[in-house]
Amino acid sequence: MTSLFAAMRLLRAVWVLAREGVIAALPRQGLSGPALTGHKIATRLARKRSEGLDSAQRMTKAIARLGPSYAKLGQFLATRPDIIGLQMAVDLATLQDNMESFPSAQAHARIEESLGLPVDDLYARLDEPIAAASIAQVHPGITRAADGSERRVAVKVIRPGVRSRFDRDLEAFFLFARMQERYIPSTRRLRPVAIAETLAQSTRIEMDLRLEGAALSELAENTKDDPGFRVPKVDWQRTGRDVLTMEWIDGIKMSDVDALKAAGHDLPRLAVNVIQSFLRHAVRDGFFHADMHPGNLFIDTNGDIVAVDLGIAGRIGIKERRFLAEILYGFIRRDYRRVAEVHFEAGYVPPHHDIEAFAQALRAVGEPIRDQSADTISMGNLLTLLFDVTDIFDMQTRPELLLLQKTMVVVEGNARVLDPHFDMWAAAEPIVSDWVRRNLGPAALVNDARDGVHSAIRIARQLPELADRTERLSRDIGAMAEHGLKLAPETVARIGKAEARESRWGRVALWVIALAAIWIAIAVS
């Protein structure tokens, strides 16, 4: 029954996306067979009024009808341009996640339940909400210290019932992912079920506001000495699972270019600052704000960038940072052989491929940008073309690099809105070259040697435990060889349930197809 309800919710989502023209706005190039037929039917079902809207506007209308779960799904898919395409990813990333606010009485109840104190004891004043999104809404407030001093704060409160709503809608997401993985073999490389699992995990993290507070605290610690960038301070005494209290930010949104000009801010300097700040966080720290659309960036009176809403954060390890830095330097120097070697050394391209052929493919990406002016070369687009080529060479999906790529494209867009003649490479060069000098030069050898010694010490400490495990494994294998392999009753039961579940998914898929055909026939007639 649960699967049937999930199928019905999925069917409704497809209907809404078709009616609002979202599917019709997707490119049909390369589609064939049932996929092309489905695209044509969805185009016929689109409302006439959607024809004059761009893809972002169509998506906004569809998400407003589908609810907060799909708003969050859209934000998540914005991190996967390999699945939905770069343009759709950028459209989703720049959407303003605006939802209707819920009553302040419910917000007060959530705060008191989370913090265990009456709202009047926690805040000197708590005003009506000024912004509402899919997961939470924000209230202006004032706190009063023991000495009587007051401080303005922003109070973020989880939306009531949002967790149970997400759990129900996630069932539909998992149903679609399983059907896609089973019936469309060409998409298995993208691991749709694993993507759904990642979405489920990321939303669970985002729905615990203590974790967002921790992310703000970590980013603040990383950037405490950085020029021109900061994040709000967290009030931990008034922060819990369902409420996050932080410093109130007085500033102008980066999206309001006219107001920035009127306030006398140096827009070209801000463009350089936003790019360099992002690269410092990603390349130097391996931890970055992954939702840097201009609505989340404020410019304070000092001209500093203040980033808010850190519900989505990205992490990349030292291996990925070296990979990124060497790739960018390789393309700048036209050393395509070295770029190819980096891919093979990192294990991103299977070793059975020819490195010379891969270097030739990379040259096809790099050479067209050589004659472009500096203000038209996009680092984000370069990475997009690079991932297109690596797909031919069976490069597996790397979610952490795709999240970095998507954020880079959005940040570049912010910079070019501020300064249409922005030189991406000139802005990025000091940050990347400094990191390369520190991490790929002689200093890197010392650091690698130190890390190797630490790893050897850890392995030495684990040797007694490893020897004990090896001895137990040897005994178990000997017993298995003598008496045969025996399965526990619960294991047999799980195997039977798994087989039944596979059969059930096949029946559910047939029901979804039949219901969709009936629905479309009624709508078209």
Side-chain angles (χ1 to χ4, degrees):
M1 186 60 69
T2 300
S3 297
L4 182 59
F5 287 148
M8 295 302 295
R9 284 192 289 269
L10 179 59
L11 187 59
R12 175 181 176 270
V14 173
W15 172 257
V16 170
L17 291 172
R19 289 290 287 163
E20 297 301 336
V22 175
I23 298 176
L26 297 174
R28 68 170 63 183
Q29 290 85 358
L31 297 181
S32 61
L36 180 59
T37 302
H39 191 285
K40 290 179 179 178
I41 293 173
T43 301
R44 289 188 61 188
L45 291 175
R47 300 178 190 272
K48 293 295 183 183
R49 67 189 184 199
S50 69
E51 293 179 357
L53 304 177
D54 60 31
S55 57
Q57 292 170 321
R58 297 183 188 195
M59 184 64 72
T60 299
K61 287 184 174 294
I63 285 175
R65 290 181 60 187
L66 290 171
S69 302
Y70 288 85
K72 189 51 58 183
L73 174 64
Q75 288 183 341
F76 177 79
L77 288 177
T79 69
R80 300 304 305 268
D82 59 322
I83 298 172
I84 61 174
L86 179 62
Q87 186 55 53
M88 179 64 75
V90 173
D91 288 342
L92 288 172
T94 55
L95 286 177
Q96 297 299 306
D97 187 8
N98 294 325
M99 309 292 291
E100 290 187 6
S101 61
F102 55 88
S104 291
Q106 294 183 17
H108 289 195
R110 303 294 286 182
I111 293 171
E112 292 176 355
E113 180 182 351
S114 185
L115 300 180
L117 290 171
V119 168
D120 292 340
D121 291 349
L122 293 164
Y123 305 98
R125 195 179 81 202
L126 191 63
D127 296 334
E128 293 296 309
I130 59 168
S134 56
I135 286 181
Q137 68 185 25
V138 177
H139 297 252
I142 292 178
T143 60
R144 184 176 292 116
D147 61 2
S149 60
E150 293 185 345
R151 186 164 61 97
R152 295 182 68 194
V153 293
V155 184
K156 187 173 183 178
V157 186
I158 286 287
R159 184 177 291 274
V162 70
R163 293 187 180 91
S164 59
R165 174 67 182 271
F166 265 85
D167 287 341
R168 291 194 301 270
D169 286 337
L170 279 169
E171 292 176 2
F173 300 160
F174 273 103
L175 173 60
F176 178 76
R178 290 188 179 101
M179 290 172 59
Q180 181 182 3
E181 200 163 273
R182 183 168 184 177
Y183 296 106
I184 311 178
S186 61
T187 65
R188 289 174 187 165
R189 185 185 68 86
L190 301 174
R191 299 180 294 174
V193 174
I195 290 169
E197 290 170 350
T198 304
L199 170 63
Q201 177 65 10
S202 67
T203 52
R204 291 189 192 103
I205 292 173
E206 197 169 350
M207 288 181 197
D208 189 334
L209 295 183
R210 294 170 297 188
L211 300 181
E212 181 176 344
L216 284 168
S217 177
E218 181 177 352
L219 192 57
E221 185 175 325
N222 290 344
T223 61
K224 62 181 182 295
D225 298 323
D226 289 355
F229 181 91
R230 67 186 182 91
V231 293
K233 296 178 182 178
V234 177
D235 183 343
W236 285 107
Q237 291 183 334
R238 297 173 178 84
T239 293
R241 182 170 182 247
D242 294 337
V243 56
L244 170 62
T245 304
M246 55 195 149
E247 169 192 3
W248 178 266
I249 300 300
D250 279 317
I252 303 171
K253 282 189 177 183
M254 187 174 284
S255 55
D256 194 347
V257 176
D258 291 337
L260 292 174
K261 290 180 180 178
H265 290 293
D266 186 343
L267 300 191
R269 188 185 69 83
L270 287 176
V272 172
N273 188 11
V274 70
I275 286 291
Q276 291 189 343
S277 295
F278 167 70
L279 288 174
R280 283 192 193 97
H281 309 160
V283 177
R284 181 192 65 193
D285 306 323
F287 179 68
F288 58 93
H289 192 311
D291 194 19
M292 291 184 70
H293 65 72
N296 282 342
L297 303 177
F298 289 81
I299 310 301
D300 65 14
T301 54
N302 296 324
D304 294 340
I305 297 172
V306 186
V308 302
D309 193 2
L310 198 51
I312 304 176
R315 290 187 186 276
I316 54 175
I318 186 65
K319 181 174 114 174
E320 286 76 24
R321 283 182 266 165
R322 289 181 177 177
F323 171 75
L324 176 65
E326 288 218 58
I327 280 177
L328 296 178
Y329 258 64
F331 273 107
I332 292 171
R333 297 194 307 265
R334 302 174 71 178
D335 188 353
Y336 304 113
R337 167 76 188 201
R338 179 55 193 156
V339 177
E341 290 173 351
V342 170
H343 279 78
F344 279 80
E345 290 170 4
Y348 292 157
V349 176
H352 66 266
H353 284 291
D354 179 30
I355 192 170
E356 297 296 342
F358 186 54
Q360 178 184 352
L362 294 175
R363 180 178 294 274
V365 172
E367 286 303 303
I369 72 172
R370 301 306 304 180
D371 296 329
Q372 296 182 29
S373 60
D375 61 352
T376 62
I377 297 175
S378 167
M379 194 178 295
N381 289 339
L382 173 63
L383 291 178
T384 300
L385 295 172
L386 176 63
F387 291 150
D388 286 343
V389 167
T390 54
D391 179 35
I392 301 173
F393 288 84
D394 302 320
M395 177 173 167
Q396 292 296 308
T397 299
R398 306 293 305 183
E400 69 278 8
L401 294 179
L402 292 167
L403 183 59
L404 176 78
Q405 174 208 15
K406 186 275 300 185
T407 309
M408 186 177 293
V409 171
V410 173
V411 173
E412 275 190 315
N414 295 342
R416 295 194 192 281
V417 168
L418 294 169
D419 180 10
H421 303 293
F422 176 69
D423 185 342
M424 176 69 186
W425 296 108
E429 194 277 333
I431 306 301
V432 177
S433 63
D434 180 66
W435 191 89
V436 168
R437 185 172 58 253
R438 292 172 179 270
N439 294 274
L440 299 180
L445 298 177
V446 176
N447 291 334
D448 289 346
R450 183 188 60 205
D451 293 341
V453 170
H454 290 166
S455 298
I457 292 173
R458 285 196 300 270
I459 292 173
R461 289 173 176 170
Q462 294 173 3
L463 283 177
E465 182 181 354
L466 291 173
D468 185 53
R469 289 181 180 179
T470 302
E471 184 180 356
R472 290 200 305 269
L473 178 61
S474 177
R475 287 199 303 266
D476 292 343
I477 292 174
M480 188 188 305
E482 183 176 353
H483 303 292
L485 177 64
K486 296 182 179 180
L487 296 178
E490 57 271 20
T491 302
V492 175
R494 283 199 296 269
I495 292 173
K497 289 180 180 178
E499 291 180 349
R501 184 167 57 249
E502 287 294 321
S503 177
R504 185 167 65 250
W505 283 122
R507 292 194 298 272
V508 168
L510 292 175
W511 272 107
V512 170
I513 293 169
L515 289 170
I518 293 170
W519 197 331
I520 291 170
I522 293 172
V524 174
S525 61

